[in-house]
């Protein structure tokens, strides 16, 4: 058996240096090499590959976002997911088992229908299920009326699902490596060489590396890196916690999300329930959150799924998510020539991995925003043309 | 099955025989047994099959580190999956084998484990009631601390019972058994799970100082078929003899890389077992063997046998020997239990002599790790697995059936980080989170990579320390205690009169009041007509209310609202809108000027808390110099709205000393007086366009006022109406509902309410944002009216709109969406409100709503459908 | 409240439940119609009653009890019907000083917990340190009980619990469940 | 569950508080004097340091006062707590 990727020693210079060896960084490197013939690329990872949010997320994949701009990029991503295993020639255990977003009050129902109708007209598969249809699709959801937050219905995206996060990262690393990309682990970027408004290289724990273009893909650490380049971004880093149960025989065949009670859950093929909640309120880089968030999440889970009462919590952990004021990402060039950012994915980063990498690669290759990335530029904060996913009560995960 | 129970010894109560069921066989043990010790005593070798390979697995450990003997407990309580070593033997216990995978009962009790949560504050919390822990606890208690000691075990070790008893007698000192510290969090917050029956307890401990005396776990040395029943940790073999009076085997081979196992050999022999040999991998085995043959420099290469060890193959590298034995007591050294320490970023360093990872800086100053947990464990030689050509039956993590060969495969795949290996092999991800496998796996990686012992440490174990059920952690936050349902003082009347309720935030509001035979449509139509033609009554008590007092109250409100409040006359009322600093509509309501320096303003039901916080934020952090105080009076007042052309008659019938005539009591003013003998503030505001009086009385007068009104209004056919009717009536008038017709991306201009954005007064919150290029666009989404071409067709709320009828084949550009849509009994047709791109320029144009069930055509109109000139408001 | 006007105490409909739940070292009952006045003013302002300046403490004089709610906020609690008099006295004392006096008598329901077990009971839903070392008569605190904002006021042999009437049923349900009387 | 020191009520559980993000970001005296970029900076740009961070908390379930805290976003250790208007303390207490 051949190795997944070489343990590359960094060269002194590259056409493109990608800072951050997570899913987005690796996907970006892969599409730069595959679609744009740019193979003189290094991916610099300060720790072990894909050990940040890529190793900590709940792997939910969907594209049923409200606004056109969001739907477009997430649907682009979902289409790439649908061919990714074959494309990478690597089993990423992508399972399109359907994603339910539950509605618990009349306001939820209104915004859910608004989203379903928008999705359909954007050619994103979406259905509205009544409470009874929810019970048919996912029998363990409690749809009785006498509960505190009854289920009034749900949106369903059948093409949504989950994938095996580690294998996604390894698949991209392997494919990028085959195309000549250097993947460098345990190499931290400590500074940037910026002269005359142009970035020329990075200082790293393995020395200085010159680069024609430098692309940040560091999720929760983006602000800290950007600051080293003298760049401010409208980002805040928060803990996002997730958990798994012990291994259980199959009970849940789809993904279920509920904004009102802050739960999203799926059951992995191994058998553990994988759950996430809302972010912790405060800024943090500690990769840990507060336990009351977990307790509330489990209480909410039991309200939705009484059968979970006997499930046992095995592990909890936290990641660091970088959140934008409008809960939408930033993709594109920066005021510093040659420096690109791809950040602010908040809680939605994993599902965007292929799409994000694809449009980011195009943006870097052309030196200008790709059409799908254009609305997500930094200018929107000045013009006010935000893409307000949480304002419109769309699910943020 | 032959009994392995020793004639005497152990801490079990031999007078208390306990009957239990395992896999439908009835067996007997003693009080003080664990399920595991009871099974061993009954000669049960195989407890459960392994998860993936179905290999027989027995008891390997005596505590939470058990990697193989998993059971489901069905009586007297339910536990989906737990190691038999942690299950206390109680009368009537029933358990069955589980192959490492739990099963959730689909039927049965809905409640599940019931638990209570408790907060407790102590100066010192000690985790682990061993000798070291209790010593630390006694010292702290002696120093005057409140002390809590928690231990996961169900019995104290004999040698510490006195110390524990003494401590329990001290003031403010507690020793909790069956109590596991699940996790240590910031600022001395520790979550403890106490397995009390029938009601479990979760302690939220806030401690100034946390002492971790969590001990150490023995680890195995990996050899071929090391998962066979009869292969047991040496410390466990010893524990079964000493704590439970059970002989784990009759012919034992002890395999070790350290001195601690020699004590095990002595114990086994003293208990009557034959100890065939101590196989010590160290060439110069030092410890006294007391006549037991020691094979120094030898290793165990394989265990042999069908469902239990029968023979053990040993080698010195040159020659091989087979030893008859039914027990391999193995000790690969000791790992300090440091999971709780690592959870807060506590560091580890590798100890060469002890061949293990011990706590080291950095770490929070308020945590101490002491005793064996602190690194005080026996020296051990760095032997992790016994080399062989075929490593495919050298089991590292029994719960994942993962072997040294699997690790080697991961490394062949180019993975070099222990974290990657974990994710490739799943080692350390099962119930024990790698207690017996984590360090071994890391060191196997180090050895195979040739990077030397300790180069990479074990992967992180995460909280909780041991698995705990969801219901236990949910505590009381279940069912109606999950989240409060807020109700008004008049709520019980609504319930008694059959109201159907709507959740609005945490509030329960009457949605409509069906009469027998009414469906929602019929009820709402009846309620609407009552208000338009007679009189209706609504409970508006949920509206947020804030009193603002001070010389600068008017100035403050001018800064918070888009329109001017300082020009409001005392006794008058003005509608107002608040924006977020981003210029988007935040909330709306009315402001009453109660006096020169006193206002009362209302908020939306859902917005009350948010708006008060918003006001306090600006007042306290931006304008501390403004002399104004905000006080929430939301529930001081119950608000009963009487609306309709006959509203004046209803109030008159109720009896009031207020002159209700239009001249004396004009629109948008309020009066104070008595209504039905109750002190009231009556406001002439209307959300329906009809003549309306909002009667505000102290909350505890709300129900009597309502009942009096229903009585007095009978002649006028006074009809109670709910939020749905209120929504229809306000929509007919084109009044928006913040949160329904707005979504956080809408400005007052978008709503066609530029009139409420003052250009004369000074700055107000959000004003500057309205000038941003995108926010000032002329073709933003505007609020418009929509009339479906078919007057009986109802546009669904949330319908998206397109410009061309045939333009509905996706993807197609959307020009807007429907925010509100109703049947209007007054208009005799359906109508809707919508946000449409540049909508105010499109009056008269037809737009289309493509829906799964077909496309609906509708014409854009002004967003006012009823009494546009406002002729009806005075009745 | 005016004596003659018909009134219903916020938790009157739960009186029987609360009575039933008694015993077990804890008893609970509603204290209806207390006069409550919210005062906002500088700590130095002249007042008809001594205002506690130490945070989370209570000052009592005659039949008036004054709870510290914030550095410039207090709650004056008096017997049923004393509200108007409280407001008048405060306004007289404060004169032209910048201050806010608001009658909030109906804005909160009041429960009284008695019995030695009451602090352990509260500890099931309240994270304050209610141990005698940190808590006792003369102390008050605004905090959370379960999911509800409350004011706790410790009296010589009882604890008063102030909550918004809309949360009353939830609080009573929670207490009954915690007491085990439900 | 962080322990947040309210300057008035003392240390209380995190759930009693609202979080207000970066402290010492004053509303511009004359917003009209700012161009769109400068206004956007005020609206959206906030420091996001790894390390000590001066941030605002609101004792929502307590005394309803806003105040400032210097807290490490790396260790969650609280270094200072001080009323609004006061400057951020330099040294550790």
């Amino acid at each position: 058996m051949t190795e997944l990727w070489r343990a590359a020693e960094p060269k002194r210079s590259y056409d493109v240096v990608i800072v951050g060896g997570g899913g987005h960084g690796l996907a970006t490197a892969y599409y730069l090499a595959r679609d744009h013939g740019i193979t003189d690329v290094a991916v610099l990872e300060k720790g072990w590959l894909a050990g940040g949010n890529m190793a900590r997320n709940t792997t939910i994949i969907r594209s049923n976002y409200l606004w056109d701009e969001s739907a477009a990029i997430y649907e682009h991503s979902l289409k790439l997911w649908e061919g990714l295993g074959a494309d990478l020639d690597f089993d990423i255990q992508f399972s399109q088992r359907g994603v339910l977003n539950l509605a618990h009050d009349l306001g939820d129902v209104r915004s859910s229908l608004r989203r379903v109708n928008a999705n359909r007209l954007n050619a994103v598969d979406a259905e509205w299920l009544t409470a009874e249809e929810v019970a048919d699709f996912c029998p363990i959801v409690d749809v009785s009326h006498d509960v505190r937050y009854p289920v009034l219905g749900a949106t369903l995206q059948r093409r949504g699902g989950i994938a095996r996060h580690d294998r996604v990262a390894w698949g991209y690393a392997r494919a990028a490596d085959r195309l000549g990309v250097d993947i460098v682990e345990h190499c931290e970027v400590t500074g940037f060489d910026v002269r005359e408004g142009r970035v020329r290289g990075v200082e790293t724990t393995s020395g200085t590396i010159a680069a024609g273009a430098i692309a940040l893909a560091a999720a929760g650490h983006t602000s800290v890196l950007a600051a080293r380049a003298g760049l401010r971004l409208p980002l805040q880093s928060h803990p996002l916690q997730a958990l798994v149960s012990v291994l259980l025989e199959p009970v849940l065949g789809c993904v279920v999300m509920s904004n009102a009670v802050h739960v999203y859950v799926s059951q992995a093929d191994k058998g553990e329930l994988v759950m996430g909640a809302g972010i912790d309120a405060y800024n943090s880089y500690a990769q840990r959150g507060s336990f009351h968030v977990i307790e509330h999440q489990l209480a909410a889970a039991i309200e939705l799924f009484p059968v979970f009462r006997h499930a046992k919590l095995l592990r909890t952990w936290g990641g660091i998510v970088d959140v934008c004021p409008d809960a939408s990402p930033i993709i594109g060039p920066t005021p510093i020539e040659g420096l690109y950012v791809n950040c602010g994915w908040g809680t939605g980063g994993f599902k965007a991995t292929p799409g994000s990498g694809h449009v980011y690669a195009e943006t870097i290759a052309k030196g200008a925003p790709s059409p799908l990335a254009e609305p997500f530029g930094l200018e929107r904060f000045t013009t006010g043309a935000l893409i307000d996913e949480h304002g419109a009560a769309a699910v943020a995960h | 099955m032959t009994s392995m129970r020793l004639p005497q010894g152990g801490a079990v109560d031999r007078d208390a025989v306990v009957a239990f069921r395992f896999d439908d066989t009835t067996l007997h043990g003693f009080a003080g047994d664990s399920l595991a010790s009871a099974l061993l005593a009954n000669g049960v070798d195989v407890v459960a099959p392994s998860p993936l390979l179905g290999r027989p697995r027995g008891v390997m450990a005596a505590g939470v580190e058990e990697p193989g003997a998993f059971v489901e407990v069905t009586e007297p309580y339910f536990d989906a999956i737990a190691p038999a070593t942690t299950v206390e033997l109680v009368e009537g216990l029933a358990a069955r084998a589980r192959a490492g995978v739990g099963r959730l009962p689909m039927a049965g009790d809905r409640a599940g484990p019931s638990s209570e949560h408790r907060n407790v504050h102590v100066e010192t919390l000690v985790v682990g009631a061993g000798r070291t822990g209790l010593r630390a606890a006694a010292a702290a208690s002696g120093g005057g601390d409140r002390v809590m000691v928690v231990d996961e075990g169900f019995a104290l070790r004999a040698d510490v019972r006195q110390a524990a008893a003494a401590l329990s007698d001290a003031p403010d000192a507690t020793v909790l058994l069956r109590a596991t510290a699940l996790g240590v969090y910031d600022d001395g917050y520790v979550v403890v799970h106490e397995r009390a029956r029938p009601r479990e307890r979760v302690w939220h401990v806030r401690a100034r100082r946390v002492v971790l005396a969590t001990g150490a776990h023995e680890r195995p040395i990996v050899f071929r078929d090391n998962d066979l029943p009869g292969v047991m940790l040496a410390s466990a073999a010893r524990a079964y003899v000493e704590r439970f009076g059970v002989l784990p085997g009759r012919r034992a081979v002890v395999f070790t890389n350290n001195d601690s196992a020699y004590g095990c050999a002595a114990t086994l022999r003293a208990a009557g077992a034959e100890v065939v040999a101590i196989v010590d991998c160290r060439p110069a085995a030092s410890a006294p063997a007391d006549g037991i043959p020691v094979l120094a420099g030898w290793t165990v290469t394989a265990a042999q046998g069908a469902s239990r060890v029968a023979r053990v193959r040993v080698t010195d590298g040159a020659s091989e020997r087979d030893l008859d034995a039914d027990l391999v007591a193995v000790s690969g050294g000791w790992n300090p239990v440091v999971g709780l320490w690592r959870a807060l970023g506590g560091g580890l360093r590798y100890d060469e002599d002890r061949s293990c990872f011990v706590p080291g800086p950095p770490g929070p100053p308020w945590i101490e790790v002491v005793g064996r947990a602190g690194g005080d464990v026996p020296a051990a030689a760095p032997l992790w697995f016994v080399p062989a050509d075929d490593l495919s039956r050298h089991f590292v993590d029994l719960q994942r059936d993962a072997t040294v060969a699997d690790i080697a495969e991961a490394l062949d795949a180019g993975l070099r980080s222990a974290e990657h290996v974990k994710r490739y092999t799943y080692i350390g991800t099962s119930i024990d989170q790698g207690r017996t496998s984590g360090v071994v796996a890391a060191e196997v990686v180090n050895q195979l990579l040739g990077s030397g012992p300790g180069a990479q440490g074990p992967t992180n174990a995460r909280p909780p320390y041991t698995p705990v059920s969801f219901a236990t952690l949910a505590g009381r936050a279940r069912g109606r205690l999950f989240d409060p349902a807020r109700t008004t003082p008049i709520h019980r009347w609504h319930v008694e009169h059959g109201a159907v309720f709507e959740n609005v935030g945490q509030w329960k509001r009457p949605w409509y009041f069906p009469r027998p035979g009414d469906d929602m449509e019929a009820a709402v139509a009846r309620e609407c007509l009552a208000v338009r033609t007679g009189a209706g009554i609504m409970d508006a008590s949920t509206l947020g209310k804030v009193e603002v007092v001070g010389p600068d109250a008017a100035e403050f409100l001018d800064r918070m609202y888009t329109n001017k409040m300082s020009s409001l006359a005392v006794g008058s009322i003005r509608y107002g809108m608040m924006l977020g600093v981003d210029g988007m509509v935040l909330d709306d309501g009315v402001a009453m000027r109660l006096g020169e320096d006193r206002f009362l303003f209302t908020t939306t039901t859902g917005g009350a808390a948010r708006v008060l916080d918003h006001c306090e934020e600006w007042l306290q952090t931006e304008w501390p110099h403004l002399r104004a105080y905000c006080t929430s009076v939301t529930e001081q007042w119950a608000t009963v709205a009487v609306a309709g052309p006959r509203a004046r008659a209803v109030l008159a019938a109720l009896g009031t000393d207020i002159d209700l005539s239009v001249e004396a009591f004009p629109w948008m003013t309020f009066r104070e007086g008595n209504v039905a003998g109750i002190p009231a503030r009556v406001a002439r505001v209307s959300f329906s366009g009809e003549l309306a009086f909002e009667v505000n009385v102290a909350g505890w007068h709300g129900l009597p006022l309502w009942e009096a009104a229903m009585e007095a209004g009978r002649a006028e056919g006074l009809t109670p109406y709910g939020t749905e009717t209120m929504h229809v009536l306000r929509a007919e008038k084109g009044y928006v509902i913040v949160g329904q017709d707005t979504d956080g991306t809408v400005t007052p201009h978008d709503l066609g309410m530029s009139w409420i954005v003052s250009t004369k007064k000074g700055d107000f919150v959000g004003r500057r944002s309205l000038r941003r290029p995108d926010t000032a666009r002329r073709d933003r989404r505007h609020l418009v009216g929509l009339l479906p071409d078919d007057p009986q067709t109802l546009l669904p709320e949330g319908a998206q709109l397109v410009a061309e009828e045939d333009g509905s084949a996706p993807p197609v550009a959307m020009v807007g969406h429907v925010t509100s849509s109703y049947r209007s009994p007054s208009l005799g047709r359906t109508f809707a409100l919508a946000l449409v791109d540049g909508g105010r320029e499109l009056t008269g144009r037809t737009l289309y709503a493509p829906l799964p069930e077909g496309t609906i055509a509708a014409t854009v109109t002004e967003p006012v459908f009823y009494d546009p000139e406002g002729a009806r408001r005075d009745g | 409240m005016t004596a003659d006007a018909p009134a219903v105490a916020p938790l009157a409909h739960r009186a029987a439940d609360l009575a039933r739940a008694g015993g077990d070292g804890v008893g609970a009952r509603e204290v209806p119609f207390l006069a409550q006045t919210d005062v906002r003013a500088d700590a130095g302002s002249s007042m008809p009653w001594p205002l506690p300046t130490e945070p989370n403490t209570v000052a009592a004089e005659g039949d008036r009890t004054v709870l510290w709610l914030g550095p410039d906020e207090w709650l004056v609690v008096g017997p049923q019907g004393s509200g108007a008099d409280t407001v008048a006295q405060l306004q007289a004392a404060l004169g032209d000083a910048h201050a806010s006096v608001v009658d909030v008598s109906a804005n909160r329901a009041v429960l009284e917990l008695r019995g030695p077990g009451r602090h352990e009971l509260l500890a099931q839903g309240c994270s304050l340190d209610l141990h005698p070392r940190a808590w006792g008569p003369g102390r008050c605190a605004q905090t959370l009980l379960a999911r509800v904002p409350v004011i706790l006021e410790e009296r010589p042999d009882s604890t008063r619990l102030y909550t918004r009437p809309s949360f009353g049923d939830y609080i009573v349900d929670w207490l009954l469940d915690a007491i085990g009387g439900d | 569950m962080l322990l947040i020191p309210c300057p008035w009520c003392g240390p209380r559980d995190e759930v009693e508080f609202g979080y207000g993000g970066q402290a010492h970001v004053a509303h511009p005296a004359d917003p009209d004097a700012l161009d769109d970029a400068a206004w956007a900076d005020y609206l959206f740009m906030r420091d996001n340091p790894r390390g000590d961070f001066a941030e605002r908390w609101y004792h929502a379930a307590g005394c309803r006062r806003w105040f400032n805290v210097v807290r490490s976003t790396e260790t969650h250790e609280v270094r200072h707590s001080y009323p609004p208007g006061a400057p951020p303390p330099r040294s550790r207490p």
Side-chain angles (χ1 to χ4, degrees), chain C residues 40 55-56 68-69 71-73 127-128 141-144, chain D residues 7-10 12-13 15-16 59 61-65:
Chain C
R40 303 287 303 272
N56 300 300
W68 184 98
L69 297 187
D72 59 4
E73 183 169 16
S127 66
L128 289 184
Q142 295 163 99
T143 183
L144 293 171
Chain D
W8 294 279
C9 301
R12 295 285 189 93
D13 276 11
V15 288
E16 291 191 8
H59 197 183
C63 62
R64 299 197 301 121
R65 300 298 102 184

Side-chain angles (χ1 to χ4, degrees), chain B residues 46-201:
Chain B
V46 179
V47 176
S50 80
L52 305 175
L53 304 174
R55 292 170 63 93
R57 295 281 165 81
V59 175
M60 174 171 282
V64 294
E65 68 273 38
E66 171 59 46
F70 289 102
V71 297
E72 167 191 80
V73 178
T74 54
E75 295 294 335
Y77 57 91
F78 184 88
D79 187 335
I81 188 162
T85 51
T86 63
V87 176
E88 182 175 3
L89 194 71
V90 293
E91 187 59 43
L93 182 81
R96 55 182 63 259
R98 297 299 306 177
V101 177
R103 182 184 54 85
L104 296 181
M106 287 297 163
D109 67 312
R110 254 186 85 86
S114 97
S115 86
E116 72 177 28
H117 289 195
R118 273 180 195 241
N119 296 284
V120 62
H121 295 252
V122 296
E123 281 66 40
T124 298
L125 175 78
V126 178
V127 183
R131 229 185 273 98
T132 326
L134 287 167
R135 204 180 302 121
S141 176
D145 282 6
R146 288 176 289 177
V147 177
M148 192 174 196
V149 182
V150 298
D151 192 285
E152 66 190 356
F154 52 81
L156 288 161
R157 284 214 323 272
D159 58 330
V160 298
R161 290 209 183 107
Q162 265 183 333
L167 183 64
S168 305
D169 295 341
D172 301 324
T174 323
V175 179
L176 279 186
L177 293 180
R178 304 178 180 82
T180 305
L182 299 179
V184 177
Y185 298 87
D186 291 295
D187 304 313
Y189 194 74
V190 183
V191 180
V192 175
H193 172 218
E194 182 186 4
R195 293 180 302 283
R197 308 275 175 220
R199 185 170 247 194
E200 303 194 350
R201 208 172 272 122

Side-chain angles (χ1 to χ4, degrees), chain A residues 1-7 48-51 54-56 66-68 93 104-107 109-124 140 142 144-150 164-167 170 185-186 241 243-251 260-261 270-273 275 282 286-292 294-303 306-318 380-388 390-393, chain B residues 78-82 98 100-113 117 182 185-186 189 191 202 204 343-345 400 409 412-417 419-420 422-424 426 428-433 460-464 466-474 477-480 482-486 502-503 505-508 511 584 724 727 739-740 743-745 772-775 780-781 796-802 807-808 810-812 814 817 819 822 850-852:
Chain A
M1 147 158 205
T2 58
E3 59 186 3
L4 289 165
W5 66 87
R6 297 165 292 125
W48 46 279
L49 201 75
M54 193 65 175
R56 296 160 188 271
L66 172 69
W67 300 110
D68 297 350
Q93 295 169 22
H104 296 279
D105 62 31
L106 299 176
V109 173
R110 229 174 259 122
S111 49
S112 298
L113 287 170
R114 178 184 173 191
R115 187 160 46 81
V116 163
N117 289 317
N119 290 159
R120 291 167 159 276
L121 293 173
N122 275 322
V124 173
I140 62 172
D142 183 356
S144 52
H145 303 294
D146 57 352
V147 295
R148 179 65 187 87
Y149 291 107
R164 174 75 200 158
H165 49 7
D166 297 316
R167 296 193 62 83
W170 299 348
E185 293 177 81
H186 307 289
Q241 299 186 76
L243 63 89
V244 294
S245 73
V246 297
L247 301 189
L248 297 166
E249 290 177 358
V251 289
V261 296
K270 280 195 272 113
E272 66 269 41
L273 297 170
M275 289 176 52
Y282 47 84
Q287 290 193 323
R288 66 172 179 264
S290 300
F291 194 69
H292 66 276
I294 301 291
E295 287 181 330
H296 178 62
Q297 182 185 351
L298 296 177
I302 298 174
E303 288 307 296
V307 64
F308 285 178
R309 66 200 181 275
H310 285 297
K312 293 175 84 174
L313 176 66
L314 177 66
R315 295 162 64 86
T316 64
W317 64 88
R380 75 181 190 266
F381 297 100
T382 302
T383 63
L386 303 184
I387 303 159
D388 196 343
H390 58 185
Chain B
F78 184 88
D79 187 335
I81 188 162
R98 297 299 306 177
V101 177
R103 182 184 54 85
L104 296 181
M106 287 297 163
D109 67 312
R110 254 186 85 86
H117 289 195
L182 299 179
Y185 298 87
D186 291 295
Y189 194 74
V191 180
V202 175
H204 294 159
L344 277 170
R400 291 296 191 187
E409 181 189 316
D412 288 345
L415 302 176
R416 290 155 202 85
S417 155
E419 289 285 353
H420 285 141
K422 164 189 173 181
R423 285 165 166 75
Y424 190 94
Y426 294 135
T429 64
S430 196
I431 289 177
D432 76 3
Q433 289 197 61
N460 241 329
R462 307 278 187 186
T466 50
V468 51
S469 81
F470 284 14
T472 300
L473 291 172
R478 309 272 305 269
R480 71 191 187 295
F482 170 61
D483 196 46
R486 302 181 68 180
E502 167 189 15
N503 284 324
Q506 287 182 309
W507 287 93
K508 291 276 178 196
W511 190 15
M584 302 301 155
E724 186 65 15
H727 288 184
Q740 175 167 346
D743 62 7
T745 69
R772 293 176 299 168
D774 186 77
T775 323
R780 284 173 61 87
R781 288 204 163 175
E797 290 171 349
Q800 295 284 346
L801 302 165
V802 300
S808 59
V812 49
M814 288 158 262
H817 71 279
T819 60
Y822 310 95
L851 297 159

Side-chain angles (χ1 to χ4, degrees), chain B residues 521 524-525 528-529 532 728-729 731-733 787 791-792 794 821-832 865-866:
Chain B
E521 191 178 325
V524 171
C528 287
L529 287 171
R532 290 279 181 232
V728 175
L729 299 174
E732 289 172 345
K733 289 288 294 179
L787 290 174
Q792 293 319 310
L794 185 70
S821 179
Y822 310 95
R823 294 183 188 282
S824 165
S826 317
L827 305 173
R829 60 158 301 137
T830 58
F831 73 104
F865 301 88
Y866 188 81

Side-chain angles (χ1 to χ4, degrees), chain D residues 1-90:
Chain D
M1 181 75 75
L2 303 186
L3 197 60
I4 303 300
C6 169
W8 294 279
C9 301
R12 295 285 189 93
D13 276 11
E14 168 196 342
V15 288
E16 291 191 8
F17 298 86
Y19 186 65
Q22 182 180 358
H24 310 293
V25 180
H27 185 257
D30 179 7
D32 295 324
L34 275 56
D35 64 16
D36 292 321
W39 182 249
D41 202 74
Y42 160 71
L43 282 182
F44 300 123
M45 288 294 182
R46 294 295 181 268
D47 294 345
N48 188 26
R50 181 186 190 116
D52 286 4
F53 186 43
E55 61 192 12
R56 306 184 310 155
W57 291 81
Y58 173 59
H59 197 183
C63 62
R64 299 197 301 121
R65 300 298 102 184
W66 281 90
F67 60 97
N68 300 327
V69 161
V70 176
R71 184 184 58 95
S72 166
T73 60
E74 205 163 7
T75 66
H76 295 173
E77 188 186 346
V78 171
R79 310 224 190 276
H80 308 280
S81 168
Y82 54 102
R90 293 262 170 279

